[in-house]
């Protein structure tokens, strides 16, 4: 049994005849390996950190896209709401104006009859013309003329007859004018209509038939 001499430390085995520099070089590879391992660990840590940051960035981008889409939807809904409110406001205004002017139509009819009979004179004439001007500014338009084709969507036929000089159903008399506001008809024109005589040829066709036959027979 070998007794260790106290006070002496064990030293790495060094070949006999080796110098201290040789001993340092012998221990150098282990230090380089440690440094390489430390570098690899640092690189791995940086890669993991980069991956984590990339994942967080993707999450932020996804959340941003979702919020952007939400904002776009809200803007579209708000624009639709504004258009709907504006459309409803215009509709309500048109209905209110139409109701008011409809109540004034009998007065306008009286003014028209008075004008036809020459009774629209003096102060009554001035008031009547002012009322007609205000109604026109509110969009009221009068329609209905003799000789125009009958249109059941804007005309109401109160009288019916036949005439040889018409080629289609025609308004031959305006019994009561019609009124509209824009494209809205608030009262159709009440008219007397005439239709072509049954079995009679229109004048144009009769003239063409006479020309083809050489004119009327001479006695």
């Amino acid at each position: 049994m070998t007794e260790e001499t106290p006070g002496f430390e064990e030293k790495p085995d060094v070949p006999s005849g080796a110098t201290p520099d040789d001993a340092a070089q012998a221990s150098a590879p282990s230090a380089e390996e440690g440094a390489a391992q430390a570098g690899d660990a640092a690189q791995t840590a940086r890669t993991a950190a980069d991956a984590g940051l990339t994942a967080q960035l993707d999450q932020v981008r996804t959340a941003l896209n979702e919020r952007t889409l939400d904002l776009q939807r809200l803007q579209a809904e708000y624009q639709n709401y504004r258009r709907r409110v504006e459309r409803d406001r215009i509709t309500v205004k048109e209905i209110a104006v139409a109701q008011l002017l409809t109540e004034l139509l009998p007065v306008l009819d009286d003014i028209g009859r008075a004008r036809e009979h020459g009774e629209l004179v003096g102060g009554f004439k001035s008031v009547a013309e002012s009322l007609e001007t205000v109604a026109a500014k509110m969009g009221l338009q009068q329609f209905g003329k003799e000789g125009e084709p009958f249109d059941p969507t804007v005309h109401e036929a109160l009288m019916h007859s036949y005439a040889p000089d018409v080629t289609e159903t025609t308004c031959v008399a305006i019994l009561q004018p019609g009124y509209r506001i824009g494209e809205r008809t608030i009262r159709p024109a009440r008219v007397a209509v005439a239709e072509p005589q049954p079995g009679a040829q229109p004048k144009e066709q009769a003239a063409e038939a006479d020309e083809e036959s050489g004119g009327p027979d001479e006695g």
Side-chain angles (χ1 to χ4, degrees), residues 65-161:
N65 291 334
E66 292 176 352
R67 299 293 83 76
T68 301
L69 292 175
D70 291 341
L71 179 59
Q72 291 174 348
R73 282 193 293 269
L74 287 175
Q75 289 177 338
E77 291 176 359
Y78 178 66
Q79 292 297 330
N80 292 334
Y81 169 76
R82 288 187 59 184
R83 284 192 290 266
R84 186 168 59 253
V85 169
E86 181 65 16
R87 184 171 60 251
D88 293 345
R89 186 185 67 81
I90 293 174
T91 301
V92 170
K93 179 181 178 181
E94 291 178 349
I95 292 174
V97 171
Q99 290 176 345
L100 172 62
L101 294 177
T102 299
E103 296 297 326
L104 292 178
L105 294 186
V107 179
L108 296 176
D109 291 336
D110 291 338
I111 293 174
R113 284 190 289 268
R115 182 178 286 111
E116 291 176 356
H117 292 86
E119 299 175 355
L120 198 62
V121 294
F124 177 56
K125 178 180 179 180
S126 177
V127 172
E129 291 177 348
S130 297
L131 179 60
E132 290 175 333
T133 300
V134 172
K137 287 182 178 180
M138 297 177 70
L140 186 66
Q141 299 176 351
Q142 186 182 100
F143 67 91
K145 295 181 180 180
E146 295 182 5
E148 64 185 8
F150 175 75
D151 183 353
T153 62
V154 295
H155 296 138
E156 180 181 352
L158 300 183
M159 299 177 63
H160 179 272
S161 63

Side-chain angles (χ1 to χ4, degrees), residues 12 20-33:
D21 292 336
D22 294 335
Q25 290 178 358
S27 62
S30 61
E32 291 177 355
E33 291 177 358

Side-chain angles (χ1 to χ4, degrees), residues 4-5 7-16 18-20 23-24 26-27:
E4 295 182 358
T5 305
F8 291 92
E9 297 179 355
E10 293 185 356
K11 295 182 180 181
D13 294 337
V14 178
S16 59
T19 62
S27 62

Side-chain angles (χ1 to χ4, degrees), residues 145-147 156 159 170-176 189-194:
K145 295 181 180 180
E146 295 182 5
E156 180 181 352
M159 299 177 63
T170 304
C171 300
V172 294
I174 305 300
L175 306 179
Q176 197 174 52
R190 292 164 180 168
V191 300
V193 300

